[in-house]
Amino acid sequence: MADLNFEKLEKRAPEALQAQTLTAVVLALGSNYNAETYLPIVRERLAALGEMQLSSAFQNPDFTATLALPKPDYTNQCVYLSLKSSTTLQQLQQVLKQFECDCHRQRSTERSLPIKKVTMDIDILLVNMRLFKNSLSKNKISKWVVMSDRYPFKTHEKTGIKELITTGFLGS
């Protein structure tokens, strides 16, 4: 739906959505280390979860880099994923964390490594939740909700989401 305005969508904390049944998600993928190896691995794993549409991949400087501490650029990409089976946010988060681990994601403190190598980072930006019109209704509706911990979106995330909207895959 070309007129989806994610700035006006409801924003909810991930903790408040853990048990919600999801029908689709928009993800942000990022890697600053061997992206050409790890992005295809994650794309293949995500494709097994449902129908997928990708934005262009963007090369971006690490926004935490400084002149005193330069850092490698990130390759970022947004993904629309229509899930083929029902899952809760909590279940999906566990699956995505496993995908990161399978790509040898190292979670380290800034003190232990001066420059953090991120093989794969997967963040959930938007979720499409299945709702009922009312407690007695069997008619299901769905709506997009922004993950409040990811908002406001970074420039490359906005660009990726807008690209998914224009391709017609991201709708309500």
Side-chain angles (χ1 to χ4, degrees):
M1 174 191 248
D3 62 350
L4 180 65
N5 185 345
F6 50 85
E7 283 117 2
K8 292 184 179 179
L9 293 176
E10 178 183 352
K11 283 110 186 130
R12 306 251 326 255
E15 302 78 38
L17 300 172
Q18 291 297 300
Q20 291 294 320
T21 300
L22 307 179
T23 59
V25 293
V26 174
L27 307 172
L29 308 180
S31 175
N32 73 357
Y33 183 75
N34 286 339
E36 65 283 349
T37 299
Y38 295 111
L39 280 170
I41 291 170
V42 166
R43 288 183 205 124
E44 183 178 327
R45 301 249 172 105
L46 290 171
L49 298 178
E51 181 183 349
M52 181 174 74
Q53 179 66 26
L54 303 169
S55 74
S56 301
F58 304 97
Q59 189 84 19
N60 301 296
D62 185 325
F63 69 92
T64 65
T66 63
L67 289 175
L69 186 61
K71 297 180 181 181
D73 288 348
Y74 271 83
T75 300
N76 296 104
Q77 186 169 43
C78 285
V79 178
Y80 164 79
L81 179 63
S82 177
L83 299 162
K84 67 181 176 185
S85 60
S86 294
T87 187
T88 65
L89 177 60
Q90 183 178 34
Q91 291 167 330
L92 183 62
Q93 286 172 322
Q94 291 170 350
V95 168
L96 298 179
K97 191 156 303 271
Q98 185 60 53
F99 288 176
E100 290 176 342
C101 289
D102 293 346
C103 290
H104 314 290
R105 168 76 189 260
Q106 299 295 312
R107 296 194 183 273
S108 58
T109 64
E110 290 296 323
R111 285 177 266 170
S112 65
L113 289 175
I115 298 176
K116 194 174 185 179
K117 292 181 180 176
V118 179
T119 55
M120 182 49 53
D121 182 41
I122 307 171
D123 294 312
I124 301 171
L125 302 178
L126 294 156
V127 296
N128 192 280
M129 302 182 316
R130 183 175 298 141
L131 306 168
F132 292 96
K133 288 185 179 181
N134 62 51
S135 60
L136 301 176
S137 175
K138 292 184 181 180
N139 296 330
K140 296 175 186 170
I141 59 171
S142 63
K143 72 174 186 171
W144 284 102
V145 175
V146 175
M147 302 294 282
S148 64
D149 64 334
R150 297 296 308 164
Y151 196 80
F153 297 133
K154 296 178 180 102
T155 302
H156 63 271
E157 293 167 341
K158 287 180 188 176
T159 303
I161 292 169
K162 287 178 182 177
E163 186 177 319
L164 292 171
I165 290 169
T166 60
T167 61
F169 279 88
L170 182 55
S172 58

